[in-house]
Amino acid sequence: MADIRPFPCIRPSREKAASVAALPYDVYSRSEAKLKAAENPDSFLNIDRPETQFADDADMYSEQVYQKAHDLLWERVADGSFIRDEKRCYYVYELTMDGRTQTGITACASIDDYENQVIKKHENTRADKEADRIRHVDSCNAQTGPIFLAYRSNETVERIVTEAKKQEPLYDFVSEDGIRHRVFAIREDDRIQAVQDAFAAIGEIYIADGHHRAASAVKAGLRRRQLHPGYTGEEEFNYFLSVLFPHDQLLILDYNRVVKDLGGLSKQAFLEKAGQAFEIGQIPREGRRPQKKGNFTMYLDGQWYLCRIKPQDIPDDPVKSLDVSLLQDLLLEPVLGIHDPKTDSRIDFIGGIRGLDELERRVSADCAAAFAMYPTSISELFAVADAGLLMPPKSTWFEPKLRSGLFIHALD
């Protein structure tokens, strides 16, 4: 059973919400983050990426950088830019992008559920990225970026969310990328209990996006347990900030690949080898987007190709049967010699939000070929996680992205 709890939220004032809300810290390079932070002093990016407050050559992992994050956060609480709800509530977070809406419950999830795999992951994490966020959490004494969780849709939760959305929203604004954000509070004790009971009955929860934030929040909580040997399990550090969405509302975009060279092969030799792995045929540019699982398209020397994975090559395995796995196992590794896509500099990954024009641009600029993938489905993600396995890197791209700064979970 999943322990999904209401919490006393720290959040921006109504007047500040739109200017505070920021994309996740890890979507920006250091230079991009500094530019964005300078453009908007209210942006939560100033807190999420505190190195933006220092010279470009400053050590972004120094103690004074993390201390700056702490100071900026609690100064905003002190001056009223952020308010602290005393009552433990759930918050309904609705995002509308391109006419489609997804609505989640903002809450706190249990670090024990993560440890016991009630909350399931599908990606590995890197120790260096974890270390950064652990220090950020410890320094701020708060979790500032929610983890994007998914669950199999539930009628009780859906009904209560629908009722909550009939109230006046706490926030209602459109961000600069055109996404509408609305937030509502669930304050009634009976509804809070009903939501908590519903999640307890659901059983499995899945990390959709934010594996590093989740791992960091859990490790920061476990560290505090060591520092407080008499802990009861009820302390705030036993829980981490999350937004939980029903599976049938989620949009996963394609996560595409570009390669820098053809491994010493000529165009014709490469096409011949690719033709041994897949059924390949030229297609017009207007047909460049793959239409179903088992198909991907390739852009090479100004021409698009449709590549069909042969049914007999699709194994009965939740990871190896993924299209991104088959591309890797049948072409990128044996033909191009790209053995580890996590570390090989000859491959790059382009999120579907960038569009297929970006693939063409990269091939004309600095790459030899591009591969447009059919999106991984949420059912495939669930199957991999349920099997206790991990997806290849860059298998899923979720949109829209959750904003940081709208919900903050203090650890005391």
XYZ file of all heavy atoms in Angstrom, residues 77-116:
318
model
N 10.364 33.644 2.396
C 9.338 33.292 3.385
C 9.179 34.437 4.379
O 8.064 34.845 4.736
C 9.697 31.982 4.104
C 8.701 31.698 5.228
C 9.739 30.809 3.117
N 10.289 34.996 4.804
C 10.258 36.063 5.806
C 9.592 37.325 5.291
O 8.877 38.017 6.032
C 11.677 36.376 6.277
N 9.786 37.643 4.007
C 9.214 38.894 3.495
C 7.807 38.732 2.920
O 7.231 39.687 2.404
C 10.144 39.549 2.466
C 10.242 38.773 1.142
O 9.384 37.911 0.859
O 11.198 39.036 0.379
N 7.256 37.517 3.016
C 5.889 37.295 2.587
C 5.719 36.922 1.128
O 4.588 36.704 0.674
N 6.818 36.833 0.385
C 6.709 36.389 -1.007
C 6.225 34.946 -1.077
O 5.566 34.543 -2.036
C 8.066 36.521 -1.706
O 8.484 37.854 -1.754
N 6.604 34.166 -0.038
C 6.100 32.802 0.119
C 5.294 32.737 1.408
O 5.642 33.385 2.400
C 7.248 31.790 0.180
C 7.895 31.506 -1.137
C 8.851 32.371 -1.654
C 7.554 30.385 -1.866
C 9.458 32.123 -2.871
C 8.158 30.120 -3.084
C 9.107 30.999 -3.592
N 4.239 31.968 1.372
C 3.401 31.780 2.553
C 3.445 30.316 2.965
O 3.774 29.440 2.159
C 1.948 32.225 2.288
C 1.345 31.430 1.113
C 1.879 33.717 2.011
C -0.105 31.794 0.814
N 3.134 30.065 4.220
C 3.180 28.700 4.740
C 1.801 28.303 5.224
O 1.254 28.917 6.139
C 4.186 28.615 5.886
C 4.490 27.187 6.339
C 5.734 27.168 7.221
N 6.214 25.808 7.425
C 7.417 25.511 7.888
N 8.271 26.482 8.186
N 7.793 24.252 8.052
N 1.216 27.302 4.576
C -0.088 26.784 5.007
C 0.104 25.945 6.261
O 0.921 25.028 6.272
C -0.726 25.931 3.910
C -1.231 26.766 2.742
O -1.479 27.971 2.952
O -1.381 26.217 1.636
N -0.635 26.258 7.286
C -0.513 25.521 8.540
C -1.197 24.161 8.466
O -0.720 23.185 9.042
C -1.101 26.345 9.689
C -0.357 27.653 9.946
C 1.115 27.443 10.287
O 1.435 26.430 10.937
O 1.938 28.291 9.893
N -2.303 24.090 7.747
C -3.056 22.833 7.655
C -2.403 21.913 6.627
O -1.958 22.353 5.564
C -4.503 23.115 7.253
C -5.377 21.862 7.190
C -6.816 22.221 6.827
C -7.684 20.972 6.679
N -7.840 20.227 7.940
N -2.390 20.645 6.950
C -1.907 19.654 5.996
C -2.964 19.451 4.920
O -4.088 19.032 5.222
C -1.621 18.325 6.693
C -0.462 18.402 7.670
C -0.247 17.074 8.385
N 0.915 17.154 9.249
C 2.163 16.934 8.846
N 2.388 16.582 7.593
N 3.168 17.040 9.686
N -2.602 19.735 3.693
C -3.553 19.660 2.582
C -2.953 18.871 1.428
O -1.743 18.659 1.339
C -3.906 21.069 2.084
S -4.649 22.154 3.298
N -3.830 18.447 0.544
C -3.421 18.049 -0.794
C -3.671 19.238 -1.718
O -4.547 20.073 -1.449
C -4.236 16.853 -1.298
C -3.988 15.550 -0.584
C -4.982 14.969 0.196
C -2.783 14.875 -0.720
C -4.783 13.756 0.843
C -2.566 13.663 -0.075
C -3.577 13.115 0.703
O -3.359 11.926 1.337
N -2.931 19.280 -2.815
C -3.116 20.343 -3.793
C -3.327 19.731 -5.166
O -2.600 18.809 -5.563
C -1.903 21.284 -3.806
C -1.709 21.968 -2.479
C -0.989 21.338 -1.459
C -2.264 23.213 -2.218
C -0.820 21.938 -0.218
C -2.102 23.828 -0.979
C -1.385 23.180 0.014
O -1.240 23.774 1.239
N -4.320 20.223 -5.865
C -4.604 19.774 -7.215
C -3.824 20.670 -8.174
O -3.937 21.895 -8.121
C -6.115 19.849 -7.505
C -6.393 19.566 -8.980
C -6.870 18.874 -6.626
N -3.019 20.045 -9.026
C -2.173 20.794 -9.969
C -2.571 20.403 -11.385
O -2.356 19.272 -11.814
C -0.701 20.474 -9.697
C 0.304 21.246 -10.523
C -0.041 22.385 -11.243
C 1.639 20.843 -10.568
C 0.893 23.077 -11.987
C 2.588 21.531 -11.297
C 2.211 22.652 -12.007
O 3.150 23.328 -12.744
N -3.174 21.361 -12.082
C -3.666 21.129 -13.445
C -2.767 21.857 -14.443
O -2.456 23.034 -14.275
C -5.101 21.657 -13.564
C -5.687 21.560 -14.963
C -6.924 22.423 -15.115
O -6.777 23.644 -15.411
O -8.030 21.896 -14.930
N -2.356 21.139 -15.486
C -1.555 21.727 -16.551
C -2.265 21.490 -17.881
O -2.699 20.364 -18.164
C -0.158 21.109 -16.613
C 0.708 21.226 -15.356
C 0.595 19.952 -14.519
C 2.166 21.467 -15.716
N -2.387 22.532 -18.681
C -3.032 22.428 -19.988
C -2.050 22.876 -21.057
O -1.536 23.992 -21.030
C -4.299 23.287 -20.057
O -5.211 22.862 -19.038
C -4.970 23.144 -21.419
N -1.783 21.969 -21.999
C -0.824 22.226 -23.070
C -1.444 21.806 -24.395
O -1.912 20.668 -24.550
C 0.462 21.423 -22.809
C 1.479 21.452 -23.926
S 2.901 20.401 -23.491
C 3.772 20.385 -25.057
N -1.483 22.725 -25.335
C -2.010 22.444 -26.674
C -3.416 21.843 -26.615
O -3.744 20.909 -27.363
C -1.076 21.506 -27.439
C 0.296 22.130 -27.686
O 0.365 23.372 -27.743
O 1.273 21.376 -27.818
N -4.232 22.329 -25.694
C -5.617 21.904 -25.615
C -5.877 20.646 -24.824
O -7.031 20.260 -24.646
N -4.839 19.975 -24.343
C -5.043 18.781 -23.524
C -4.613 19.068 -22.084
O -3.658 19.796 -21.844
C -4.299 17.558 -24.076
C -2.801 17.671 -24.077
C -2.140 16.356 -24.484
N -2.441 15.304 -23.549
C -1.830 15.131 -22.383
N -0.879 15.969 -22.010
N -2.149 14.137 -21.595
N -5.361 18.489 -21.158
C -5.159 18.777 -19.739
C -4.795 17.514 -18.980
O -5.356 16.443 -19.230
C -6.439 19.392 -19.138
O -6.673 20.669 -19.752
C -6.315 19.586 -17.637
N -3.854 17.653 -18.052
C -3.573 16.579 -17.108
C -3.582 17.181 -15.712
O -3.132 18.313 -15.510
C -2.249 15.890 -17.406
C -1.018 16.763 -17.259
C 0.257 16.039 -17.665
O 0.345 15.472 -18.754
N 1.261 16.067 -16.797
N -4.133 16.432 -14.766
C -4.333 16.960 -13.424
C -3.787 15.983 -12.401
O -4.157 14.811 -12.390
C -5.825 17.210 -13.147
O -6.368 18.016 -14.199
C -6.008 17.928 -11.825
N -2.917 16.483 -11.542
C -2.298 15.636 -10.530
C -2.599 16.102 -9.124
O -3.147 17.181 -8.899
N -2.233 15.254 -8.173
C -2.347 15.549 -6.751
C -0.943 15.832 -6.212
O -0.043 14.986 -6.318
C -2.948 14.350 -5.980
C -4.391 14.104 -6.395
C -2.824 14.571 -4.471
C -5.402 14.957 -5.680
N -0.741 17.023 -5.656
C 0.531 17.337 -5.017
C 0.460 16.881 -3.567
O -0.472 17.232 -2.830
C 0.814 18.842 -5.077
O 0.752 19.274 -6.439
C 2.202 19.146 -4.521
N 1.446 16.086 -3.176
C 1.424 15.438 -1.863
C 2.852 15.058 -1.497
O 3.805 15.404 -2.207
C 0.529 14.200 -1.907
N 2.995 14.329 -0.399
C 4.290 13.789 -0.015
C 4.237 12.266 0.004
O 3.293 11.678 0.543
C 4.714 14.325 1.352
S 5.357 16.004 1.266
N 5.241 11.661 -0.610
C 5.338 10.206 -0.688
C 6.389 9.714 0.300
O 7.304 10.443 0.687
C 5.699 9.774 -2.105
N 6.270 8.474 0.690
C 7.108 7.899 1.743
C 8.449 7.411 1.205
O 8.514 6.710 0.185
C 6.364 6.729 2.386
O 7.222 5.925 3.154
N 9.527 7.747 1.932
C 10.825 7.213 1.536
C 10.874 5.706 1.759
O 11.616 4.998 1.065
C 11.985 7.927 2.256
C 11.988 7.665 3.751
C 11.967 9.419 1.989
C 13.224 8.247 4.471
N 10.088 5.178 2.685
C 10.042 3.726 2.876
C 9.397 3.047 1.681
O 9.823 1.954 1.275
C 9.275 3.387 4.156
C 10.053 3.747 5.411
O 11.272 3.515 5.448
O 9.437 4.281 6.357
N 8.378 3.673 1.097
C 7.757 3.107 -0.097
C 8.744 3.065 -1.252
O 8.733 2.134 -2.069
C 6.523 3.921 -0.494
C 5.327 3.630 0.394
O 5.381 2.667 1.180
O 4.329 4.378 0.313
N 9.616 4.070 -1.341
C 10.670 4.067 -2.358
C 11.652 2.935 -2.087
O 12.016 2.175 -2.994
C 11.379 5.415 -2.357
C 12.505 5.544 -3.366
C 12.279 6.108 -4.624
C 13.799 5.125 -3.065
C 13.310 6.250 -5.541
C 14.841 5.257 -3.975
C 14.583 5.827 -5.212
O 15.616 5.953 -6.112
N 12.075 2.818 -0.855
C 13.040 1.790 -0.492
C 12.473 0.380 -0.692
O 13.193 -0.543 -1.068
C 13.464 1.968 0.975
C 14.338 3.180 1.231
C 15.755 2.970 0.734
O 16.557 2.383 1.467
O 16.047 3.382 -0.410
N 11.170 0.216 -0.432
C 10.528 -1.101 -0.534
C 9.934 -1.375 -1.907
O 9.253 -2.381 -2.097
C 9.438 -1.226 0.530
C 9.991 -1.129 1.941
O 11.135 -1.518 2.191
N 9.197 -0.596 2.859
